[in-house]
Amino acid sequence: MGNPSKRMKKTALLCSLFWVFLPLAAQETVESDAEVYEYHVGEVDYLSGEGVNLGGFLFPSVFVQGAGGVFEPGAGAGDVSTTGHDPQNDWGVSDIHLHLDLDFGGKVTGSVTGFGHQTEDHVWEAEFEEAYLHWRINDTLSIGGGQFRNAFGFQSGLHPHDWFFVNQNLINSRMVNEGELISQGGEILVRTPSSGLLTFGLGGIRSHSHNHSHNHGGHGDHEDEHGDADHDEHEEGEDHHDGHDSEPLEIDDAGFKSWALTTDYRFRMPFDESLTGSLSLGVGENGFGRNSTLYGAGLRKVWNGHDHGSGGPDFCAGATMWQGELLGRNVDVFLENGDQRTFTDYGFSNSLHHGLSDHVTLSLRHDWISAVEIAGLGDRHRLSAALTAFVDPEQRVRARVQYDYLRDETVGGEHVAWLQIQWQWGGIGGSHAGHGH
């Protein structure tokens, strides 16, 4: 029969190679008279005068999302979610997102965002996400600060209403602080030749306080959340490892908890202006009081369409985009018996998107993330297929149907079907409404 772990790794490798070569093969079918490619990398130019504005410098927008799912018997939305911003209930309004984007003559820009979402049992929670300003010193250099999302690859800068799918990518859920690496500190943004953007971020990390659990069949990466009292005990140096040798490592503590220094470089490939690369690196203190090092690389290729730099989930008719990201990390930890160890986990997310029309996009995704033996986690795959459509002429009401197949080497497989509805007020409607920065 062979070793199951080796078979899973071979499967992951074959699937990854398939996704890499598929877009390269598709390139041969592009007609020579394809639509001119537009490349914009870096901060999204969402302040273009469209939508609602207050005084010509304040641009508000609101996004409301509702979702419902069909699950295996005995399972529910909270069992298959991997972040607090995935749908937590089998049906209902899942989240409300408020943006206040600022633009003072293009010299100073910024954003204030808040997020309200339903936890399990339809309990509402609110959180203050971002409040930052950027001062553009010249065409090359900008500096800023406040509370902001660290730039780290294609996916991590996107708010839930900009996601390509109903749920967060597996690698971002586990490694990038539930997909939202939010700092309270400063940023430096450097525009490089050939439309590149190099970003440095340094600050204290705002830890999540989502009180969700993922106990069904081991599908979630977070069995429970540590409260402030737990972290106080860590800081006071109390022995919290004695007598629990058999308990698995708490994987959530592997993320950044105290501070982090990150850098992200997004750039256009010199030999192909429709191919965007991304390189990222971060180091910081984790929940064990030791260090984690996070690294990532990504590629995005667009045929017959536009890449406006935001990674928005919708495209013009006939446009196709492939996007792949790899993330990995080295984590220094304390085990329950007090021993010091270092473990490595890694994974990838590949997706392919095609505009069936100006209003309808078909998307496919393959996620894979490695096992972490000392945390009791196995290799995990997820295959997703989604159909996203705007149902109104102004492209402000969006419907999405999605199918997920999850496969974990320790618990087997699970099927999930989703229906999601999004309503938008203000901002720029349609496929170029992304707010990633």
Side-chain angles (χ1 to χ4, degrees), residues 71-121:
F71 310 92
E72 298 275 353
D79 300 312
V80 297
S81 68
T82 57
T83 79
H85 290 176
D86 288 358
Q88 298 293 303
N89 297 287
D90 294 356
W91 59 271
V93 177
S94 56
D95 56 81
I96 300 173
H97 213 143
L98 170 65
H99 288 265
L100 295 174
D101 299 318
L102 304 106
D103 183 7
F104 298 94
K107 194 69 174 178
V108 176
T109 61
S111 186
V112 177
T113 65
F115 188 79
H117 64 111
Q118 289 201 61
T119 63
E120 293 186 58
D121 300 322

Side-chain angles (χ1 to χ4, degrees), residues 266-280:
R266 193 176 298 188
F267 53 94
R268 178 178 60 189
M269 293 296 183
F271 52 86
D272 185 350
E273 66 176 7
S274 66
L275 187 62
T276 307
S278 174
L279 296 172
S280 308

Side-chain angles (χ1 to χ4, degrees), residues 273-354:
E273 66 176 7
S274 66
L275 187 62
T276 307
S278 174
L279 296 172
S280 308
L281 180 66
V283 61
E285 185 176 333
N286 57 38
F288 300 97
R290 305 191 69 198
N291 288 339
S292 291
T293 302
L294 177 64
Y295 43 89
L299 284 175
R300 174 188 290 163
K301 170 70 177 178
V302 179
W303 296 271
N304 195 31
H306 302 263
D307 175 4
H308 290 258
S310 66
D314 306 286
F315 304 90
C316 307
T320 301
M321 186 181 85
W322 166 76
Q323 178 172 292
E325 286 198 82
L326 300 170
L327 289 179
R329 62 180 175 178
N330 298 325
V331 184
D332 300 325
V333 305
F334 286 112
L335 300 182
E336 292 295 329
N337 60 9
D339 291 343
Q340 298 183 17
R341 286 275 300 277
T342 298
F343 77 84
T344 299
D345 58 346
Y346 46 90
F348 63 76
S349 181
N350 282 300
S351 60
L352 188 66
H353 312 267
H354 180 70

Side-chain angles (χ1 to χ4, degrees), residues 222-289:
H222 316 290
E223 296 299 325
D224 62 285
E225 297 292 333
H226 289 296
D228 292 338
D230 295 329
H231 291 289
D232 290 342
E233 291 180 3
H234 290 199
E235 293 170 359
E236 294 170 7
E238 296 185 13
D239 186 4
H240 53 280
H241 300 290
D242 53 340
H244 299 284
D245 292 352
S246 62
E247 293 184 7
L249 182 80
E250 175 52 61
I251 194 67
D252 184 56
D253 277 339
F256 299 128
K257 296 293 182 180
S258 178
W259 63 270
L261 169 65
T262 63
T263 181
D264 179 87
Y265 183 38
R266 193 176 298 188
F267 53 94
R268 178 178 60 189
M269 293 296 183
F271 52 86
D272 185 350
E273 66 176 7
S274 66
L275 187 62
T276 307
S278 174
L279 296 172
S280 308
L281 180 66
V283 61
E285 185 176 333
N286 57 38
F288 300 97

Side-chain angles (χ1 to χ4, degrees), residues 178-205:
E178 294 198 8
E180 297 180 319
L181 185 52
I182 297 178
S183 286
Q184 296 169 338
E187 279 187 300
I188 300 175
L189 298 87
V190 181
R191 297 183 181 275
T192 64
S194 301
S195 301
L197 181 68
L198 178 63
T199 304
F200 299 93
L202 174 64
I205 295 298

Side-chain angles (χ1 to χ4, degrees), residues 378-426:
D379 286 80
R380 194 173 181 196
H381 292 262
R382 181 173 61 190
L383 299 174
S384 304
L387 188 68
T388 303
F390 288 101
V391 298
D392 68 313
E394 289 78 25
Q395 298 191 27
R396 294 180 179 273
V397 180
R398 189 182 74 185
R400 173 179 289 147
V401 291
Q402 180 175 319
Y403 164 77
D404 289 334
Y405 174 66
L406 301 95
R407 181 78 184 179
D408 190 296
E409 68 174 355
T410 61
V411 297
E414 185 163 1
H415 303 269
V416 181
W418 296 100
L419 171 64
Q420 182 184 60
I421 304 294
Q422 180 190 107
W423 172 79
Q424 173 188 349
W425 174 83

